[in-house]
Amino acid sequence: MSFIATPRTMHFAQPLPLQSGAQVRDYTLAYETYGTLNADKSNAVLICHALNASHHVAGVYEGQPKSEGWWDNMIGPGKPVDTNRFFVIGVNNLGSCFGSTGPMHTHPDTGQVYGADFPVVTVEDWVNAQARLLDALGIEQLAAVMGGSLGGMQALSWTLQHPARVRHAVVVASAPNLTAENIAFNEVARRAIVTDPDFHGGHFYAHGVIPKRGLRIARMVGHITYLSDDVMNEKFGRELREAVADSVTGYRYSTQDIEFQIESYLRHQGDKFSEYFDANTYLLITRALDYFDPARAHGGDLAQALAGARSQFLVVSFTTDWRFSPARSREIVQALVKNQHAVSYAEIDAPHGHDAFLLDDARYLNVVRSYFDHIDTGARP
Amino acid sequence: MTNDLLNAIAALVPAGSRVLDLGCGDGALLAHLQQHKGCTGYGVELDDANVHACVARGVQVLQLNLDQGLLSLFEDQSFDVVLQIDTLQHLRNAEVMLRETARVGKTGIVAFPNFAHWPNRLSILRGRMPVTKRLPYQWYDTPNIRVGTFADFEVLAHKNGLRVLDGFGLQDGQRVDTWPNLMAGTAVFRFAGSV
């Protein structure tokens, strides 16, 4: 069993101006910390989460032995990101549904639940909110910022928005922006949610319903893209859930019953997800993914966008990840190299698709461990 | 990489150079160049264990497959020195890589086992493929998919319009300028692209 983690919250009374021009007035961020902040506050590592994760990065909650954080294999005492050396911070992003202010909370101006009125937040907005949390914790500079997927986008953005505050950035299974195909997958998920009759234009809370059908389908689509063809075939193949005894093929010849195991698995994943994830949050977070594109303000020139970064980088990708493919990570590497920034890049030959960034692969974990072993816990002048 | 080879190559790299080491192995040469000559730059390596070894010793490494033409990632003339130490003999597209080396680097340094070294010739005369300290593999399990000689490289360099700035043999840690094609187990060339 892992160590005991304690969730905390921090309240911010000062409005956060957003990229869109809107603002979030009066908000709370949920966060957790592991390890001990050293005397000169130079050993802090910020972990940024992806679509459906939270500030609960590592450890378990008191009395809940199975409540491991989503990156518990990566972070903890003696783990690749060793909390005996580093002070690790996990923070739940604004608009999420795990404790930080989000669509299911009350809008301070109207006294009504935000619902669809929660402002659109971007990766850049999240980074600014995270920076305020660091301010409140008295941390001027991070030893490292780290994230996978959408979390990797935040890590990358940190080095551009607050270059002096980051010494190292670890960007895993990420991309400098989403491709059209990737936006397309997000749009399918969003349409599934928005067209669910229980969505009520995003104000379903008032109707006492949840657009579970939409959330289920959104999750099913997403889940497919996080796996690889090979892994899915290996795990499920064409296996039937329950072969019919008196049929030669075992098929039940039904269009609507569950026939194949993969269907059963996806429905189960969808059901589970729809029980705990907020529909408006799903829309917000997929939009943040779509909008992220630091090169956009530089005429599409990523190298120019990354010119001002001052941190050292570790970029990691996985060969079978087709949602955030190695080619996308190599674009980041290329832009860093063009700027002569310090960067190492590991392309891990793992079978698990995008999900590999959360799984145990000795090559992956060892590279991250060795990289962190070299991170100085003294501040950069 | 033997210490002899490492030291001989390091001696060819000017202090403070920006270096790209293609097929950098465990990063020993780059680490040496960083620590003793104030060089900066990256290694390129395919093997997982080697990539880890580089990260573990603080050498910046990029895990790329050179046979997939990924040198396009690097800008023209963006490095002072591009190294290909015992790499050429493992590459399918060795000729393309040579041209790319000259494109990316202001100078290139190549070292590879010289198949025309006399013990190898002797072995071939006896009708057997050589197995030596420099070429320790049996013909059926060698990772070297190419064998070439000092003289062969001069022809290839000429064919690709490369200017050979220096070419010599290396044997027992000593520079060999007399009959290197016969007398040296390792061929070393320093070259640049045509102006």
Side-chain angles (χ1 to χ4, degrees):
Chain A
M1 198 182 79
S2 198
F3 63 96
I4 299 295
T6 310
R8 301 169 202 282
T9 57
M10 180 95 65
H11 177 252
F12 297 83
Q14 198 193 355
L16 182 77
L18 303 174
Q19 208 179 12
S20 65
Q23 62 172 23
V24 181
R25 187 167 79 75
D26 199 77
Y27 59 97
T28 295
L29 293 179
Y31 71 102
E32 291 181 10
T33 69
Y34 324 110
T36 310
L37 189 61
N38 62 9
D40 61 355
K41 302 186 174 184
S42 60
N43 67 335
V45 174
L46 177 70
I47 305 295
C48 305
H49 70 76
L51 205 158
N52 63 329
S54 72
H55 53 295
H56 183 42
V57 179
V60 294
Y61 292 142
E62 185 84 61
Q64 302 174 46
K66 285 187 170 168
S67 63
E68 283 101 350
W70 56 272
W71 227 349
D72 193 65
N73 59 343
M74 182 67 83
I75 290 141
K79 304 270 174 76
V81 182
D82 189 350
T83 50
N84 292 325
R85 278 187 76 215
F86 295 104
F87 177 68
V88 176
I89 306 158
V91 54
N92 189 214
N93 285 325
L94 274 181
S96 181
C97 51
F98 296 110
S100 292
T101 300
M104 70 295 298
H105 293 117
T106 305
H107 194 314
D109 293 343
T110 62
Q112 306 286 313
V113 172
Y114 274 111
D117 296 333
F118 195 87
V120 168
V121 280
T122 63
V123 166
E124 286 80 0
D125 296 330
W126 286 335
V127 167
N128 286 334
Q130 292 159 7
R132 285 192 174 180
L133 177 66
L134 296 190
D135 293 342
L137 296 173
I139 295 161
E140 176 48 38
Q141 188 183 70
L142 291 166
V145 59
M146 178 177 185
S149 190
L150 174 58
M153 290 174 166
Q154 293 159 60
L156 184 63
S157 203
W158 256 99
T159 70
L160 311 179
Q161 291 176 250
H162 305 283
R165 299 188 72 171
V166 193
R167 296 205 299 279
H168 293 266
V170 179
V171 179
V172 184
S174 196
N177 60 21
L178 290 195
T179 58
E181 183 187 60
N182 237 322
I183 296 171
F185 281 122
N186 284 345
E187 176 60 4
V188 172
R190 281 191 296 263
R191 292 311 294 167
I193 290 169
V194 168
T195 56
D196 184 323
D198 284 340
F199 184 64
H200 294 287
H203 295 287
F204 50 88
Y205 316 93
H207 294 79
V209 291
I210 294 170
K212 284 191 177 179
R213 280 161 289 188
L215 274 167
R216 283 189 197 108
I217 293 164
R219 181 56 173 173
M220 287 165 83
V221 171
H223 206 87
I224 294 166
T225 69
Y226 305 147
L227 301 178
S228 70
D229 193 19
D230 284 349
V231 159
M232 224 191 254
N233 262 322
E234 195 181 300
K235 212 165 163 182
F236 306 103
R238 295 183 49 81
E239 203 183 317
L240 303 180
R241 189 173 68 155
E242 194 184 5
V244 177
D246 55 1
S247 153
V248 179
T249 56
Y251 293 166
R252 56 186 67 236
Y253 295 103
S254 158
T255 55
Q256 294 186 24
D257 291 347
I258 289 179
E259 187 74 275
F260 296 94
Q261 278 292 12
I262 182 64
E263 298 170 353
S264 169
Y265 173 77
L266 282 179
R267 288 196 198 187
H268 173 70
Q269 291 295 329
D271 288 346
K272 229 172 47 174
F273 188 72
S274 70
E275 294 294 328
Y276 72 83
F277 208 83
D278 179 76
N280 284 309
T281 291
Y282 203 95
L283 304 183
L284 285 166
I285 295 189
T286 53
R287 251 316 182 224
L289 270 160
D290 294 356
Y291 280 140
F292 182 68
D293 187 7
R296 192 176 176 87
H298 300 267
D301 187 338
L302 184 64
Q304 206 182 86
L306 299 187
R310 284 183 61 200
S311 41
Q312 302 183 42
F313 289 81
L314 174 66
V315 178
V316 182
S317 74
F318 301 91
T319 49
T320 54
D321 183 352
W322 55 280
R323 187 99 200 238
F324 289 81
S325 72
R328 303 311 318 277
S329 283
R330 287 198 295 264
E331 287 178 40
I332 298 173
V333 171
Q334 180 167 18
L336 292 170
V337 166
K338 194 169 174 184
N339 285 298
Q340 305 195 356
H341 289 326
V343 54
S344 280
Y345 171 58
E347 195 169 297
I348 308 292
D349 187 12
H352 305 101
H354 188 53
D355 263 357
F357 90 88
L358 296 167
L359 301 177
D360 287 322
D361 182 302
R363 293 161 301 180
Y364 164 44
L365 296 179
N366 285 338
V367 164
V368 174
R369 178 188 295 276
S370 293
Y371 189 82
F372 272 89
D373 283 349
H374 274 275
I375 294 182
D376 216 332
T377 50
R380 180 181 65 197
Chain B
M1 187 182 307
T2 63
N3 277 339
D4 283 349
L5 183 56
L6 187 149
N7 289 324
I9 300 301
L12 297 175
V13 179
S17 294
R18 190 147 179 83
V19 178
L20 181 66
D21 187 354
L22 303 177
C24 66
D26 62 9
L29 175 58
L30 267 176
H32 179 92
L33 290 172
Q34 282 171 20
Q35 281 151 25
H36 300 286
K37 302 197 82 168
C39 295
T40 56
Y42 313 98
V44 173
E45 178 57 45
L46 182 59
D47 178 72
D48 290 324
N50 278 336
V51 167
H52 179 235
C54 288
V55 173
R57 61 173 10 133
V59 164
Q60 291 168 38
V61 63
L62 310 177
Q63 189 165 26
L64 303 170
N65 186 346
L66 293 172
D67 269 332
Q68 287 173 0
L70 290 173
L71 236 50
S72 57
L73 204 124
F74 303 100
E75 303 269 294
D76 292 0
Q77 303 290 291
S78 53
F79 292 88
D80 298 314
V81 180
V82 178
L83 301 169
Q84 270 195 62
I85 310 306
D86 275 348
T87 302
L88 200 64
Q89 67 264 32
H90 304 298
L91 296 176
R92 288 204 176 278
N93 57 2
E95 187 178 8
V96 173
M97 281 303 302
L98 205 56
R99 284 201 294 267
E100 282 288 274
T101 296
R103 177 185 68 79
V104 171
K106 290 169 189 149
T107 61
I109 297 173
V110 162
F112 61 93
N114 172 30
F115 202 73
H117 190 206
W118 67 265
N120 300 341
R121 297 189 191 199
L122 219 56
S123 187
I124 295 286
L125 268 180
R126 281 199 226 99
R128 299 291 305 276
M129 283 297 275
V131 179
T132 63
K133 211 154 66 168
R134 188 71 177 94
L135 291 166
Y137 307 99
Q138 292 290 343
W139 66 276
Y140 50 81
D141 68 1
T142 177
N144 301 327
I145 61 169
R146 311 202 173 280
V147 287
T149 70
F150 187 95
D152 286 334
F153 187 87
E154 289 180 311
V155 174
L156 182 65
H158 180 75
K159 175 179 173 240
N160 284 281
L162 306 177
R163 287 175 298 131
V164 172
L165 307 171
D166 195 9
F168 58 89
L170 202 63
Q171 185 59 38
D172 302 321
Q174 300 298 313
R175 185 182 166 113
V176 177
D177 284 303
T178 311
W179 298 342
N181 199 37
L182 183 65
M183 301 305 292
T186 298
V188 183
F189 288 90
R190 200 160 62 82
F191 59 94
S194 47
V195 180

